[in-house]
Amino acid sequence: MEYSLHCHSTQPVKNKLFVFCIMLSLWVYTMYCCVGYCSTTPTLMMEERRLRPLQKQDQEMFLKSQSRDLLNNESDADSRGDGWEENKGDVGYDDDSGVTGALNGSETKKLPQAIIIGVKKGGTRALLEFLRLHPDVRAVGAEPHFFDRNYEKGLEWYRELMPKTLEGQLTMEKTPSYFVTKEVPGRIHAMSKDTKLIVVVRDPVTRAISDYTQTRSKKPDIPSFESLTFRNITGNVIDTSWSAVQIGMYARHLDQWLQFFPMSQLLFVSGERLISDPAGEMARAQHFLGLRREVTHRHFHFNPAKGFPCLKRPESNGKPHCLGKTKGRTHPNIHPDVIQRLRDFYKPFNKKFYHMTGHDFGWD
């Protein structure tokens, strides 16, 4: 009897010890797992932090590749596409969506449906950057010079220079020398007879001086503007072989384009009004390109120090983004008699150009 009672009295103790051992084992196992997890967490977090900048860097490199000068044969900042003080992405619509689409294969590269074909020192860089504010416009930043310098490389080479676009987005490029190169109209027509063409024009006298100023900034030892303008300064004969003078003979160049394209496919933007009324000229450009009016006066801020409109986000109070130091150079002082001779020279060309375009640009 004593033995039986003793056995019954020790059974609950054994059960409690068994339960305690199980609970202790579970607690130790839980602590072990927690310690193991904590030891790996910093590594995972550090790895994640290490990878994030690389992903961002890859995206930035991809964006920059859309605008870099693949030809590497232009020394002018405008030709390279970097004539602005700030990154365009900070002002315009978010390009990250474009990068994501390109990386996952939802975008394709297309030949341009619209091209800014001229003119040099007319305001082509400003117009291109204004258009790039539009969410339905994608444009290569650098000047491809395909139709005048690289045509033998073929359309597939040209297509590869273009940014990737979604369905419904417009692909554009700008190369101002196209307007004055006689082979280009036929070559663009052969690519697509429906291509829309934009020409930014400016007072040809002011344009010539601006052209000379840019050249002199790279080659300070070039002859004076006056000596380059005239074949014989005493004979009052303008040297039309000098490109700075030749480019401003707009009517002569336009004749070549009208052999291939109807006037309805060309838009002439005033370089002067692009400065004084950028929203108005942008309204015309967006209508011509079949775009909804997204870029308005809310996107522009005039900088009196630079003399150019700067770009801004309508919803932001951030710093406006302006044309870079290569724009708005101070022009040299040209003798008034030389300027008047040039005005007299350009007058018949201007008159014909006004008649051809149906628009008086008010240069005379």
Side-chain angles (χ1 to χ4, degrees), residues 2-20:
E2 286 181 10
Y3 177 78
S4 177
L5 288 172
H6 179 71
C7 286
H8 283 293
S9 64
T10 58
Q11 190 65 34
V13 176
K14 290 182 179 179
N15 291 340
K16 289 180 181 179
L17 285 172
F18 179 75
V19 171
F20 175 78

Side-chain angles (χ1 to χ4, degrees), residues 36-67:
Y37 174 78
C38 292
S39 66
T40 59
T41 299
T43 304
L44 291 171
M45 292 177 67
M46 287 297 291
E47 186 70 10
E48 184 179 11
R49 288 175 182 171
R50 185 177 66 84
L51 288 173
R52 281 178 183 169
L54 287 176
Q55 293 169 355
K56 183 65 176 178
Q57 184 181 16
D58 289 343
Q59 291 181 349
E60 290 174 353
M61 288 178 65
F62 181 86
L63 278 176
K64 288 178 180 177
S65 71
Q66 301 300 310
S67 296

Side-chain angles (χ1 to χ4, degrees), residues 122-284:
T124 57
R125 172 56 54 186
L127 179 63
L128 183 71
E129 294 304 324
F130 294 171
L131 285 169
R132 291 175 81 187
L133 291 171
H134 200 289
D136 292 336
V137 172
R138 299 295 296 280
V140 60
E143 295 173 5
H145 283 281
F146 171 67
F147 293 103
D148 59 348
R149 300 180 188 172
N150 297 284
Y151 193 62
E152 72 285 352
K153 294 182 179 178
L155 286 174
E156 285 308 308
W157 178 89
Y158 184 45
R159 190 198 306 270
E160 282 303 307
L161 299 182
M162 297 300 117
K164 292 187 176 182
T165 55
L166 294 166
E167 187 66 32
Q169 287 184 318
L170 187 72
T171 302
M172 292 189 67
E173 70 115 316
K174 77 110 177 167
T175 304
S177 55
Y178 288 166
F179 186 63
V180 299
T181 307
K182 63 180 181 180
E183 297 86 5
V184 171
R187 291 172 176 178
I188 293 180
H189 187 269
M191 177 189 72
S192 172
K193 61 182 178 59
D194 298 319
T195 306
K196 293 188 175 183
L197 309 167
I198 300 178
V199 190
V200 187
V201 289
R202 181 184 182 187
D203 181 338
V205 177
T206 308
R207 197 222 65 80
I209 297 172
S210 179
D211 198 340
Y212 171 80
T213 303
Q214 176 178 293
T215 304
R216 194 177 70 166
S217 70
K218 304 173 194 174
K219 302 175 182 177
D221 57 342
I222 63 170
S224 67
F225 180 85
E226 290 83 353
S227 63
L228 291 169
T229 300
F230 300 99
R231 291 180 185 171
N232 184 343
I233 196 164
T234 57
N236 214 19
V237 179
I238 303 292
D239 187 357
T240 57
S241 66
W242 185 31
S243 63
V245 170
Q246 190 181 95
I247 290 172
M249 300 158 66
Y250 302 140
R252 182 174 292 181
H253 304 304
L254 181 55
D255 274 333
Q256 298 175 353
W257 289 89
L258 294 180
Q259 295 176 28
F260 294 90
F261 294 94
M263 189 64 79
S264 60
Q265 279 179 238
L266 287 104
L267 174 70
F268 297 90
V269 173
S270 167
E272 287 84 7
R273 281 196 293 275
L274 200 59
I275 295 173
S276 63
D277 182 21
E281 289 301 283
M282 279 302 299
R284 294 180 61 236

Side-chain angles (χ1 to χ4, degrees), residues 265-315:
Q265 279 179 238
L266 287 104
L267 174 70
F268 297 90
V269 173
S270 167
E272 287 84 7
R273 281 196 293 275
L274 200 59
I275 295 173
S276 63
D277 182 21
E281 289 301 283
M282 279 302 299
R284 294 180 61 236
Q286 289 170 100
H287 177 75
F288 173 73
L289 294 171
L291 301 168
R292 64 185 185 277
R293 191 179 296 186
E294 287 277 348
V295 185
T296 66
H297 67 279
R298 298 176 299 120
H299 290 86
F300 300 102
H301 169 78
F302 188 78
N303 185 326
K306 285 186 170 292
F308 287 98
C310 301
L311 304 180
K312 64 177 183 178
R313 283 180 184 269
E315 70 279 5

